[in-house]
């Protein structure tokens, strides 16, 4: 069942939590609502569920307006951040709760409910825990029970509020894969809220980036990372290296640093955003850029060596980060305190107040310059 | 562990002095008076004691006291639960004021409370005159006693529930409503089990106070023997009649109720402090 969010606004007192949000959630897809705390993502999820009412706007499930439908009658599955398991009911009773709450006519018989619960316990791989109480479960087990409980009435929409937020890293990874597999098997429409970009990119089919009560960008995970449409999305998704300066004679200049920008108008303020993998390091400046940096720290852990650098003779608000393969690292053997030059391959230029970036590609120059490395 | 009992720097004599003082004070102020009550009540023999207890006015006082408690407890149970529900589950203007107002019966002297009711509902009171023309008498009759007792004991249940319900939050109830449960089913299956022991604790306290209330009741009762005399008032009345043994017999009844209350209270506290279900197990996802 697809979900349409149509011009939803919501204020709490003087705080505007959502500003005229419109969104299309495709049927059968797993959508992430990603944003920092206070961006309105949880409020939006609760409005979709019907746990919160919007000040204006409509919510449609599969084309039907459900804005005035009570949460009880929306037939959605909802997984709460802290699981919200019923502490005085056993695992099996928790899972059966939704089925037993059905109106008498639709309610399955006692033995059918028992069978359904047994099947769900199989699905979450915890049949041996049917008689336990929530306080006797680990965090990951609680999360699974919460999912089984939400899925018991076979809702066509599953909403998850920070589903893995309270779990440790290892359990989180396992559960993520498990949820993905579950989703691929049953094909309900799911929305989950997260502030973890990695989680959003790894798990979802579509990511909705939110900031200050508004939708910043909606994209598939790969596009979102490769083509951020705003500074906010750039900053929020992964590390970014920034050169900010003034354009003069087709060059972005700041202090001792410059990057050539063929065709760019002069006397404009501009920022060049560079992802760690869109830059490489060289002992000497390239033809198209001179960005002197000193190595501050080297981290060898992971599939790539991560090198942190600080600008020399110019300024940057944040530390620079450049990735290097272990092979290359062994060849060039950079060490702390040395002076190196960053060579941009691809960049994203924000000029003055414009919200949208322009992509810059120096590939042809770098190819010619590769022997410098 | 022994280390928890011996704080660093505590000399043995400091410990002995503190414990000794506590024991002595408890003996003088609590234990001896209670023992004296029973001792005095039985000082003229068992048959005199039963005679005193079975005296018709005493029996009536017992009956009236139980009636007051039987009406007060359910009223305040419903009121306290509803109030706690309202202030912990909803946000509305005046919510904080309401939480403060609920404490007024604790802050105001019960005698003042009795006087206020007398001024309001008495024959010459603001509402009393109108009530009198309709032949309704509240003051100097049992309804008045129930009214002031309800007033004096109304914070107990709410005070027990509010912090607990605040701490538990409303997520479980939200989960229930998302799963399609009706309001009543949510209350019965989720809310009530969660607050059960706090509720019982509140009831025990309400009951103890309802049975023992003297000040407010004495103002509005009129002390009519065999009609508006509750057990605590009866004790005073007998004492003023120089029937000391009789007074102590009734006092012994009250003391017995108090001790029973303490036992129930201790049990409920023990149940409440017990973690809901053991401890979570380690390992396994």
């Amino acid at each position: 069942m697809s979900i349409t969010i149509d011009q939803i606004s919501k204020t709490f007192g003087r705080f505007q939590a959502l500003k005229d949000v419109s969104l299309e959630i495709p049927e059968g897809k797993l959508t992430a609502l990603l944003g920092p705390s206070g961006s309105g993502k949880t409020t939006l999820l609760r409005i979709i569920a019907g746990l919160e009412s919007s000040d204006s706007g409509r919510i449609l499930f599969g084309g039907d307006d459900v804005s005035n439908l009570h949460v009880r009658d929306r037939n959605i599955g909802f997984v709460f951040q802290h699981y919200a398991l019923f502490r005085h009911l056993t695992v099996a009773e928790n899972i059966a709760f939704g089925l037993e709450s059905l109106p008498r006519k639709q309610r399955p018989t006692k033995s059918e409910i028992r069978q359904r619960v047994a099947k769900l316990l199989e699905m979450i791989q915890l049949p041996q825990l049917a008689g336990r109480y929530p306080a006797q479960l680990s965090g990951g087990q609680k999360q699974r029970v919460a999912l089984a409980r939400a899925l018991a009435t076979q809702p066509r929409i599953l909403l998850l509020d920070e589903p893995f937020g309270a779990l440790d890293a290892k359990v989180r990874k396992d559960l993520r894969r498990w949820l993905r597999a579950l989703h691929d098997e049953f094909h309900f429409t799911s929305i989950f809220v997260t502030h973890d970009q990695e989680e959003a990119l790894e798990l979802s089919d579509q990511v909705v980036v939110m900031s200050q009560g508004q939708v910043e960008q909606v994209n598939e995970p790969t596009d979102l990372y490769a083509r951020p449409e705003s500074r906010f999305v750039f900053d929020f998704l992964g590390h970014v290296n920034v050169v900010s300066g003034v354009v003069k004679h087709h060059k972005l200049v700041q202090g001792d640093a410059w990057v050539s920008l063929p065709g760019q108008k002069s006397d404009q303020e501009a920022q060049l955003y560079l992802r760690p993998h869109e830059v490489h390091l060289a002992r000497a400046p390239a033809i198209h850029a001179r960005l002197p940096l000193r190595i501050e720290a080297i981290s060898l852990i992971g599939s790539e060596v991560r090198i942190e650098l600080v600008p020399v003779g110019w300024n940057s608000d944040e530390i620079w980060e450049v990735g290097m393969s272990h092979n290359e690292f062994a060849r060039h053997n950079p060490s702390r305190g040395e002076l190196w030059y960053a060579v941009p391959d691809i960049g994203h230029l924000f000029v003055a107040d414009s919200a949208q970036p322009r992509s810059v590609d120096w590939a042809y120059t770098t190819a010619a310059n590769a022997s410098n490395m | 562990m022994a280390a928890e009992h011996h704080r660093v720097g505590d000399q043995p004599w400091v410990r002995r002095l503190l414990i000794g003082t506590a024991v002595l004070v408890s003996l003088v102020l609590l234990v001896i008076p209670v023992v004296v009550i029973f001792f005095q009540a039985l000082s003229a023999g068992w048959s005199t004691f039963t005679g005193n207890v079975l005296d018709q006015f005493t029996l009536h006082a017992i009956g009236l006291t139980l009636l007051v408690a039987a009406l007060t407890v359910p009223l305040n149970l419903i009121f306290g639960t509803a109030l706690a529900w309202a202030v912990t589950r909803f946000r509305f203007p005046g919510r904080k004021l309401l939480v403060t107002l609920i404490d007024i019966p604790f802050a105001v002297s019960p005698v003042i409370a009795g006087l206020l009711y007398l001024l309001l509902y008495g024959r010459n009171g603001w509402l009393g005159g109108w009530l009198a023309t309709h032949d309704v008498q509240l003051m100097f009759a049992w309804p008045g006693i129930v009214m002031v007792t309800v007033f004096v004991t109304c914070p107990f249940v709410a005070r027990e529930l509010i912090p607990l319900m605040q701490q538990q939050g409303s997520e479980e109830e939200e989960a229930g409503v998302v799963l399609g449960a009706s309001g009543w089913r949510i209350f019965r299956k989720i809310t009530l089990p969660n607050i059960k022991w706090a509720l019982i604790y509140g009831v025990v306290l309400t009951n103890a106070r309802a049975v023992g209330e003297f000040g407010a009741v004495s103002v509005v009762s009129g002390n009519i023997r065999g009609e508006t005399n509750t057990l605590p008032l009866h004790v005073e009345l007998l004492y003023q009649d120089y029937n000391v043994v009789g007074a102590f017999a009734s006092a012994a009844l009250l003391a017995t109720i108090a001790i029973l209350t303490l036992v129930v209270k201790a049990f409920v506290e023990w149940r409440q402090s017990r973690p809901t279900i053991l401890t979570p197990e380690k390992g396994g996802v």
Side-chain angles (χ1 to χ4, degrees):
Chain A
M1 197 180 278
S2 68
I3 303 169
T4 308
I5 294 147
D6 184 21
Q7 295 182 303
I8 292 284
S9 289
K10 173 77 181 175
T11 51
F12 293 108
R14 249 174 271 156
F15 174 68
Q16 184 149 26
L18 293 171
K19 293 171 203 159
D20 204 18
V21 171
S22 292
L23 253 181
E24 203 57 54
I25 310 284
E27 175 161 4
K29 291 279 162 59
L30 189 47
T31 299
L33 294 183
L34 174 67
S37 52
S39 59
K41 54 195 192 308
T42 293
T43 306
L44 183 59
L45 193 78
R46 288 174 63 86
I47 289 174
I48 297 170
L51 287 168
E52 208 89 61
S53 61
S54 61
D55 299 339
S56 61
R58 297 185 308 159
I59 300 287
L60 294 91
F61 288 175
D64 297 328
D65 190 344
V66 296
S67 312
N68 294 316
L69 200 62
H70 193 273
V71 47
R72 192 177 288 134
D73 306 315
R74 289 196 189 184
N75 190 26
I76 44 150
F78 198 101
V79 177
F80 290 82
Q81 188 177 1
H82 302 291
Y83 326 121
L85 295 178
F86 307 132
R87 71 192 86 187
H88 287 285
L89 300 181
T90 62
V91 166
E93 288 167 339
N94 262 283
I95 296 173
F97 191 89
L99 293 170
E100 284 168 352
S101 298
L102 287 170
R104 207 171 286 275
K105 278 183 203 156
Q106 302 161 31
R107 196 186 309 161
T109 63
K110 281 223 161 86
S111 66
E112 279 170 351
I113 291 180
R114 219 171 307 129
Q115 280 174 11
R116 191 92 71 83
V117 169
K119 214 178 264 175
L120 284 157
L121 280 166
E122 286 290 333
M123 182 192 83
I124 59 170
Q125 298 151 17
L126 299 172
Q128 72 283 10
L129 301 183
R132 295 268 188 96
Y133 285 91
Q136 293 169 292
L137 306 178
S138 70
Q141 289 169 337
K142 281 185 203 169
Q143 185 60 280
R144 286 174 187 225
V145 174
L147 262 163
R149 183 179 69 176
L151 294 174
T153 51
Q154 294 169 326
R156 297 176 58 194
I157 291 169
L158 181 65
L159 306 175
L160 307 105
D161 185 8
E162 302 259 1
F164 313 113
L167 301 170
D168 58 65
K170 170 84 179 68
V171 176
R172 195 187 288 210
K173 270 208 162 144
D174 288 348
L175 263 182
R176 249 190 241 166
R177 281 194 206 110
W178 179 76
L179 177 67
R180 184 69 240 186
L182 198 72
H183 185 271
D184 292 345
E185 196 179 325
F186 291 96
H187 273 291
F188 29 72
T189 306
S190 316
I191 305 178
F192 76 101
V193 157
T194 183
H195 61 259
D196 182 339
Q197 20 143 333
E198 196 189 314
E199 194 167 287
L201 295 181
E202 184 184 317
L203 195 56
S204 61
D205 302 308
Q206 173 185 288
V207 182
V208 176
V209 183
M210 294 189 66
S211 154
Q212 297 178 348
Q214 282 171 317
V215 174
E216 285 282 336
Q217 189 172 350
V218 184
N219 251 144
E220 286 174 17
T222 43
D223 287 346
L224 191 70
Y225 188 72
R227 280 185 288 283
E229 284 166 10
S230 65
R231 288 168 208 251
F232 175 81
V233 177
F234 240 117
D235 281 333
F236 194 67
L237 287 181
H239 189 89
V240 67
N241 303 313
V242 184
V243 187
S244 52
V246 182
V247 182
K248 273 178 189 149
H249 311 296
H250 309 293
K251 277 180 184 171
L252 179 66
V253 185
Q254 194 224 119
D256 292 348
W258 57 262
V259 181
S260 79
L261 294 171
Q264 191 66 37
K265 268 204 302 188
S266 281
D267 297 322
Q268 281 177 311
E269 287 204 12
Q271 279 95 37
L272 186 65
Y273 281 54
L274 304 154
R275 293 274 189 219
H277 66 270
E278 293 166 342
V279 184
H280 65 263
L281 293 178
R283 295 268 186 197
I287 296 170
H288 66 287
R290 183 178 191 279
L291 296 166
L293 297 144
R294 198 178 50 246
I295 296 178
E296 275 287 292
I298 297 170
S299 166
L300 289 159
I301 296 173
S303 52
E304 221 188 20
V305 181
R306 199 162 48 82
I307 300 172
E308 291 183 3
L309 310 104
V310 286
V312 177
W314 56 290
N315 293 311
S316 163
D317 288 342
E318 279 186 66
I319 218 155
W320 271 53
E321 243 183 66
V322 178
M324 187 181 269
S325 75
H326 282 277
N327 246 338
E328 260 183 274
F329 182 78
R331 242 186 320 135
H332 299 293
N333 197 26
S335 58
R336 249 178 61 183
E338 285 180 354
L339 187 76
W340 283 73
Y341 292 88
V343 182
D345 305 317
I346 306 167
H348 311 266
L349 187 75
F350 287 95
V351 179
D353 298 328
S354 76
Q356 294 262 329
R358 173 173 90 86
S359 282
V360 191
D361 192 342
W362 297 274
Y364 66 98
T365 21
T366 36
N369 243 14
S371 52
N372 264 1
M373 258 311 273
Chain B
M1 260 192 285
E4 285 171 52
H5 297 291
H6 295 261
R7 285 190 326 186
V8 180
D10 274 0
Q11 300 289 325
W13 67 268
V14 173
R15 229 167 357 112
R16 273 183 224 130
L17 186 74
L18 286 173
I19 295 171
T21 312
V23 170
L24 193 72
V25 170
S26 315
L27 272 177
V28 171
L29 291 180
L30 297 170
V31 180
I32 293 175
V34 173
V35 172
V36 167
I37 291 174
F38 289 98
F39 186 75
Q40 285 280 357
L42 295 166
S43 62
W46 182 255
S47 59
T48 316
F49 174 75
T50 49
N52 272 324
V53 170
L54 295 176
D55 169 78
Q56 61 153 341
F57 291 132
T58 311
L59 283 180
H60 186 273
I62 294 171
L64 181 60
T65 303
L66 292 180
L67 173 77
V68 170
L71 288 173
T72 303
V73 168
L75 274 174
N76 274 336
L77 180 64
I78 295 167
F79 168 78
T81 311
L83 185 95
W85 186 282
V87 300
T88 56
R89 294 295 179 262
F90 303 105
R91 294 274 169 276
F92 52 89
R95 194 180 66 93
K96 289 224 170 91
L97 186 69
L98 199 60
V99 177
T100 314
L101 282 180
I102 181 70
D103 278 337
I104 282 189
F106 280 170
V108 170
S109 155
V111 177
I112 308 287
L115 273 174
L116 279 174
Y117 272 72
L118 200 60
L119 284 175
L120 203 58
Y121 297 105
R123 193 163 285 274
N124 303 316
W126 293 347
L127 293 170
W130 182 84
L131 286 171
T133 58
H134 291 79
D135 227 12
V136 178
Q137 191 193 352
L138 297 177
M139 294 299 110
F140 308 122
W142 67 264
I145 298 175
V146 173
M147 284 165 73
V148 292
T149 310
V150 167
F151 175 84
V152 169
T153 60
C154 76
F156 285 110
V157 171
R159 271 275 143 233
E160 282 305 314
L161 290 186
I162 290 170
L164 180 74
M165 291 177 76
Q166 240 155 15
Q167 176 222 324
Q168 289 182 341
S170 51
E171 268 206 343
E172 279 183 56
E173 279 127 16
E174 285 185 344
V177 77
V178 170
L179 289 167
S182 64
W184 173 240
R185 183 172 153 78
I186 290 170
F187 181 73
R188 210 164 39 90
K189 287 276 183 183
I190 302 166
T191 313
L192 200 55
N194 282 354
I195 62 172
K196 186 172 64 184
W197 291 105
L199 210 57
I200 294 173
Y201 190 64
V203 163
V204 168
L205 293 178
T206 306
N207 184 58
R209 187 69 194 270
V211 168
E213 176 54 28
F214 180 88
V217 171
S218 86
V219 175
V220 299
S221 118
N223 288 22
I224 309 163
R225 217 176 281 229
E227 273 187 41
T228 61
N229 224 15
T230 62
L231 211 42
L233 299 183
H234 193 56
V235 174
E236 196 210 16
L237 217 57
L238 288 172
Y239 190 74
Q240 283 169 351
D241 288 351
Y242 300 107
N243 182 356
V244 176
V245 177
F248 273 106
S250 293
L253 290 179
L254 281 173
T256 308
I257 296 174
I259 291 167
L260 283 178
T261 305
L262 279 182
V263 172
V264 177
K265 177 173 168 284
F267 172 74
V268 174
E269 272 178 346
W270 170 75
R271 264 313 305 246
Q272 244 185 329
S273 67
R274 226 167 52 145
T276 319
I277 310 291
L278 316 169
T279 45
E281 289 195 6
K282 295 273 172 213
V285 178

